Amino acid sequence: MKLFNKIKQVIQLMKSVDFAELNRISEKIDISQIMKTVGELDERQLDGLLKMLKSNGKKGQHKLPPIDGDFYDLDLKLTLEQRQIQMKVRNFMENEVEPIANDYWKRAAFPHELIPKLAKLNIAGIAYKGYGCPDYPFIMEGIIAEEMARVDVSISTFFGVHSGLAMGSIYLCGSEEQKQEWLPKMQQMKVIGAFGLTEPNVGSAVSGGMETTCRLEGDVWVLNGQKKWIGNATFADVVIIWARDILSNKVKGFLVRKGNPGFKAEKMEDKMALRTTQNALITLTDCKVPESDRLQNANSFRDTAKVLRMTRAGVAWQAVGCARGAYESALKYTKKREQFGKPIASYQLIQNHLVEMLSNLTAMKTMVFRLSELQDQGLLTDEHASLAKVFCSLRTRDVVSKAREVMGGNGILLEYDVARFVADAEAIYSYEGTKEINTLIVGRAITGYSAFV
């Protein structure tokens, strides 16, 4: 009876064997040796072999965790309505911006066709109250900056200049009439703004060494000087220009309209970072601005600093977005890229780089979340914003460097996105206050001594 059963099993086995396939396999391996080895396996080893064979023997084909840079689920702190806005921005960036980002970055051109689509998101001036603005917590400014920079730092910079620096200057320093005139149109993005503070010869020391001057002649101000690195200025409808009053030596702000005689904006060429952002060298030659277009509540650099304090938090968030985009791009790549028969994500050294990147990213996002909470509670100080800018811009450099490293030679190709993040991180590192200046702001706060020259 046992013999009969064995013969029956052999017949069934013979029916299931694909002899053509068996012959092909025998040309590559010793079938008899395989049979001998399998026969020597115990039940546990045999069970493991069967499980491996059922998975088709392909490494990395099991269910993989999602690619998500928010490892501590900080976004769960947002309300449902806030999450909906976040996802609306994310979908816009992934569907509208990501497919064209590298092309425009490579050509150093700006996708003007995106502005009407961006306007429909209704997020400009999102934390301002009145004038058609949504009046959400400041944390939403940060979330938007992160989501935009996660895909394209240039678009994030364009939006930050318009919604943060330009609209913020009018919101904080403008008269009621100026707010009514400009903010509703800027909120709808029918009018685009720019912010002119930095100069060719003066960057960090602009508070005390501003060379652009203004003088009052009757009821008209005459502006002379230059501004450099001014984002959006080549096509903006209004540029906020900061100038030093020759008579009082105080810094004042002005609304310089597009086409104003004596105002010239030249596109800066050959940048290695933020190539999509249109930065300009502005030259003011006896540029006449009526008193009605002077920001009525900007009477010293302290007023300018209020705008910078408010927007510096957004730049720290932007650094988080840049780092997150690089990390997620690199992680996605390592799961697909195979070497020696398996994804490089399965190798120890690659995982070490990825975990270091995620550690930096998680620390950064935790910091900026708390920073925005302080801002919403009215507790934000210069040193709070400066510490976040210093830490996040430094750590972003580290994250994008490791992202480029795990991708090997492909890390320098634009098609994989990380090369763009590496370059754009250098701009974030410098603007809205260098590491050194922000360090001295924090140092002064914690020691009580000012080390500024």
Side-chain angles (χ1 to χ4, degrees):
M1 190 68 180
K2 289 183 178 180
L3 179 62
F4 178 78
N5 287 335
K6 286 185 178 180
I7 293 173
K8 186 177 180 181
Q9 289 174 359
V10 169
I11 292 173
Q12 292 297 325
L13 178 63
M14 296 290 285
K15 288 181 178 180
S16 65
V17 171
D18 184 338
F19 287 97
E21 182 66 15
L22 185 63
N23 182 61
R24 186 184 66 81
I25 294 174
S26 67
E27 293 176 355
K28 298 181 180 180
I29 59 175
D30 187 341
I31 297 291
S32 61
Q33 182 62 44
I34 294 294
M35 294 295 293
K36 181 176 182 297
T37 301
V38 171
E40 293 173 350
L41 297 178
D42 59 29
E43 289 186 8
R44 182 183 61 80
Q45 292 170 324
L46 192 58
D47 185 59
L49 176 62
L50 290 173
K51 287 181 179 179
M52 184 186 74
L53 292 173
K54 286 180 180 179
S55 68
N56 297 322
K58 294 182 180 180
K59 294 286 185 180
Q61 294 303 305
H62 55 284
K63 186 176 181 180
L64 298 175
I67 295 173
D68 185 1
D70 184 20
F71 195 66
Y72 277 7
D73 290 326
L74 288 166
D75 288 341
L76 295 180
K77 292 168 68 71
L78 301 174
T79 67
L80 177 60
E81 187 178 12
Q82 291 167 352
R83 285 282 283 172
Q84 290 173 340
I85 295 172
Q86 178 189 32
M87 297 313 297
K88 183 169 63 173
V89 176
R90 180 176 296 183
N91 290 336
F92 171 80
M93 293 302 296
E94 290 180 348
N95 297 331
E96 299 289 345
V97 179
E98 189 170 8
I100 63 173
N102 287 336
D103 176 58
Y104 277 92
W105 194 92
K106 181 169 59 179
R107 294 189 288 114
F110 186 83
H112 293 278
E113 67 274 15
L114 289 181
I115 294 179
K117 298 177 182 179
L118 185 56
K120 290 181 180 179
L121 298 181
N122 191 35
I123 56 174
I126 195 164
Y128 308 149
K129 185 176 182 179
Y131 315 104
C133 297
D135 190 23
Y136 281 93
F138 275 102
I139 198 167
M140 290 311 298
E141 276 196 345
I143 292 293
I144 290 169
E146 179 194 9
E147 290 296 335
M148 288 187 171
R150 173 180 168 269
V151 172
D152 189 350
V153 181
S154 288
I155 296 299
S156 175
T157 299
F158 155 76
F159 185 78
V161 169
H162 170 75
S163 178
L165 290 168
M167 288 184 70
S169 296
I170 300 171
Y171 186 76
L172 293 177
C173 302
S175 66
E176 184 59 32
E177 291 75 16
Q178 290 168 335
K179 294 176 186 179
Q180 293 288 353
E181 178 182 1
W182 292 103
L183 292 180
K185 292 183 292 186
M186 295 176 79
Q187 197 283 325
Q188 297 171 28
M189 302 189 77
K190 294 178 179 178
V191 168
I192 300 300
F195 179 89
L197 178 62
T198 304
E199 300 182 349
N201 297 323
V202 188
S204 299
V206 72
S207 60
M210 187 177 292
E211 296 180 351
T212 300
T213 62
C214 60
R215 69 177 188 274
L216 185 61
E217 295 184 355
D219 60 354
V220 174
W221 290 88
V222 181
L223 279 58
N224 283 284
Q226 286 189 313
K227 299 292 182 180
K228 191 175 182 180
W229 300 108
I230 312 307
N232 304 353
T234 58
F235 59 88
D237 299 288
V238 61
V239 181
I240 309 298
I241 293 291
W242 300 92
R244 180 175 54 84
D245 187 349
I246 292 177
L247 184 61
S248 67
N249 208 37
K250 297 289 187 180
V251 172
K252 299 185 184 298
F254 299 88
L255 294 152
V256 180
R257 300 169 187 255
K258 186 176 185 178
N260 195 316
F263 175 90
K264 181 182 180 182
E266 301 172 88
K267 178 183 173 182
M268 295 178 63
E269 303 285 358
D270 302 325
K271 295 184 299 172
M272 65 161 278
L274 299 183
R275 290 175 54 79
T276 304
T277 303
Q278 303 298 289
N279 293 94
L281 172 67
I282 292 175
T283 301
L284 301 154
T285 307
D286 290 332
C287 181
K288 294 180 173 59
V289 180
E291 166 63 16
S292 59
D293 280 346
R294 179 180 68 82
L295 290 175
Q296 298 299 303
N297 296 312
N299 299 304
S300 73
F301 192 79
R302 288 183 180 275
D303 297 313
T304 316
K306 289 191 297 186
V307 181
L308 298 176
R309 183 187 309 123
M310 180 178 67
T311 57
R312 191 162 286 160
V315 176
W317 274 96
Q318 191 178 56
V320 174
C322 179
R324 183 172 180 175
Y327 164 75
E328 291 180 348
S329 296
L331 178 57
K332 179 180 178 181
Y333 176 88
T334 62
K335 289 183 176 185
K336 292 184 176 181
R337 174 70 168 178
E338 292 193 1
Q339 290 289 282
F340 306 106
K342 58 182 181 179
I344 63 173
S346 66
Y347 289 108
Q348 292 181 357
L349 290 177
I350 295 297
Q351 290 189 5
N352 180 69
H353 285 316
L354 291 170
V355 171
E356 286 186 1
M357 292 160 65
L358 181 60
S359 298
N360 279 327
L361 177 56
T362 303
M364 291 161 59
K365 182 148 185 177
T366 303
M367 174 180 272
V368 294
F369 241 96
R370 178 56 185 156
L371 183 71
S372 289
E373 288 176 347
L374 290 170
Q375 190 170 11
D376 283 319
Q377 294 165 9
L379 301 175
L380 182 71
T381 63
D382 288 337
E383 52 267 27
H384 289 146
S386 290
L387 182 62
K389 171 58 168 61
V390 167
F391 181 78
C392 292
S393 60
L394 274 172
R395 297 282 70 80
T396 293
R397 262 182 158 188
D398 191 56
V399 171
V400 299
S401 176
K402 284 184 169 58
R404 177 259 177 273
E405 189 167 347
V406 301
M407 297 178 74
N410 285 334
I412 66 172
L413 293 176
L414 198 57
E415 66 177 287
Y416 294 100
D417 297 326
V418 166
R420 176 162 49 84
F421 287 120
V422 171
D424 289 347
E426 290 303 302
I428 296 174
Y429 182 71
S430 294
Y431 66 33
E432 283 282 353
T434 63
K435 171 186 175 292
E436 290 75 17
I437 290 299
N438 280 307
T439 295
L440 294 182
I441 291 172
V442 179
R444 180 177 60 193
I446 63 176
T447 66
Y449 295 98
S450 177
F452 287 95
V453 176

